[in-house]
Amino acid sequence: MAITLKTAADLAGMRIAGRLASQVLDMLTPHVRPGISTEQLDKLAHDHIVQVQGGIPAPLNYAPPGYVPYPKSICTSINHQVCHGIPNDRALKSGDIVNIDVTVIKDGWHGDTSRMFVVGEGSIAARRLCALTYEAMWLGISRVRPGARLGDIGHAIQTFAERQGLSIVREFCGHGIGRKFHEEPQVLHYGKPGTLDELVPGMVFTIEPMVNAGRREIREAGDGWTIVTRDRSLSAQWEHTVVVTETGYEVLTLSAGSPAVPAFVTPVSSVVQPATV
Ligand code: MF3
Ligand code: CO
Ligand code: CO
């Protein structure tokens, strides 16, 4: 199976799906407060995707080989949970950090994005981890242009995170995306410059580094999905879906509520879609 390149018409569809996924996070943002359960967030997201957006929540019943069907419409990964946390009836409390990962299917196209939220008052360490992971994601995105290689992205993310004393999860990676949720290529968040596939215009993939405050080792929590840090240290993740353009990249998962892009991201090599509407 090769990497599928998206046409201009495909990208028009993917822009819509990507913006819708980001808008789900915008909608959820004011609700992410102490006392709400992740199951309540899941219901808000599910109903918004289905009833307001006319879309499909891709995670619901998603069952890759070797997995039980995923039972909810979003992923909510709290504190030492790395990814794929399943919404439940426990209330968020002040000081928690939570990743909310949303994937919307619209007209057959997938848009996949996640953000970190600090619930109530977060510790300095928690806020630092979230902020540095956001920066790490954008450092990776900034490398995207024709002729660059996937290893350049991973290297930029890994060297930055490790210089800050953080660690990169190896077992999960970004992925091609389109008509399917997970396509080729795998986008590792560590690696060596000048290695792996060369980026060409029309490639669409996610960049979604999982960064741990402690050691990089993980384990599965026992529900078939939730991944946690072995040392129970905090973990953060951010995710965007990007397309390689002729001159650089375009981020497909921006919307009015997207956090500000870091100052080091210059408009020179990038066309960042100023998502409104
Ligand atoms: N959205 C996740 C990703 O970024 C995948 C979640 S799979 C699910 O690839 F089934 F847990 F939703
Ligand atoms: Co993804
Ligand atoms: Co995702």
Side-chain angles (χ1 to χ4, degrees):
M1 272 287 283
I3 301 172
T4 66
L5 298 182
K6 275 68 180 181
T7 66
D10 297 344
L11 290 173
M14 293 207 73
R15 267 185 207 104
I16 291 168
R19 185 168 58 222
L20 289 175
S22 189
Q23 286 173 337
V24 174
L25 292 169
D26 295 354
M27 181 278 297
L28 290 175
T29 297
H31 296 281
V32 184
R33 294 161 52 91
I36 197 166
S37 70
T38 47
E39 219 160 50
Q40 288 174 290
L41 294 172
D42 179 74
K43 179 167 171 44
L44 286 168
H46 177 94
D47 291 351
H48 188 81
I49 293 166
V50 172
Q51 292 163 21
V52 178
Q53 298 183 333
I56 299 166
L60 189 59
N61 298 316
Y62 184 59
Y67 283 81
V68 295
Y70 188 79
K72 297 288 183 182
S73 296
I74 58 174
C75 296
T76 52
S77 303
I78 302 169
N79 296 336
H80 71 298
Q81 295 177 343
V82 173
C83 62
H84 305 165
I86 301 173
N88 64 22
D89 61 5
R90 279 195 304 276
L92 293 176
K93 57 183 192 308
S94 184
D96 284 342
I97 60 171
V98 57
N99 171 275
I100 303 182
D101 193 337
V102 174
T103 310
V104 171
I105 309 171
K106 179 73 176 179
D107 298 330
W109 296 107
H110 290 71
D112 189 8
T113 185
S114 80
R115 299 181 198 159
M116 292 303 297
F117 296 84
V118 179
V119 181
E121 294 286 310
S123 70
I124 288 173
R127 284 186 278 127
R128 175 177 182 269
L129 176 66
C130 295
L132 291 174
T133 303
Y134 185 63
E135 209 171 320
M137 173 189 67
W138 274 106
L139 280 168
I141 292 172
S142 303
R143 296 298 167 126
V144 175
R145 71 200 62 176
R149 290 181 176 267
L150 285 172
D152 300 339
I153 299 171
H155 180 74
I157 293 169
Q158 180 184 17
T159 52
F160 173 76
E162 291 182 351
R163 213 183 300 126
Q164 306 292 338
L166 307 171
S167 65
I168 297 284
V169 171
R170 306 281 179 107
E171 292 84 352
F172 295 88
C173 56
H175 49 92
I177 182 167
R179 293 236 176 245
K180 290 196 295 184
F181 197 163
H182 295 99
E183 303 183 353
E184 286 187 45
Q186 295 194 44
V187 182
L188 304 179
H189 303 113
Y190 62 93
K192 297 194 196 325
T195 65
L196 305 175
D197 285 328
E198 184 174 320
L199 307 186
V200 297
M203 283 174 66
V204 179
F205 50 81
T206 70
I207 298 179
E208 49 179 301
M210 283 141 277
V211 179
N212 298 348
R215 295 175 58 85
R216 69 175 176 82
E217 286 79 11
I218 57 160
R219 64 180 178 80
E220 197 260 297
D223 59 16
W225 278 101
T226 307
I227 303 299
V228 297
T229 56
R230 269 195 183 273
D231 65 5
R232 299 187 70 83
S233 64
L234 289 180
S235 187
Q237 179 179 30
W238 293 80
E239 176 175 24
H240 270 313
T241 300
V242 304
V243 55
V244 183
T245 64
E246 295 294 334
T247 54
Y249 63 86
E250 177 185 336
V251 177
L252 300 176
T253 39
L254 292 170
S255 60
S258 294
V261 172
F264 65 77
V265 180
T266 62
V268 176
S269 66
S270 63
V271 183
V272 177
Q273 190 78 0
T276 41
V277 185

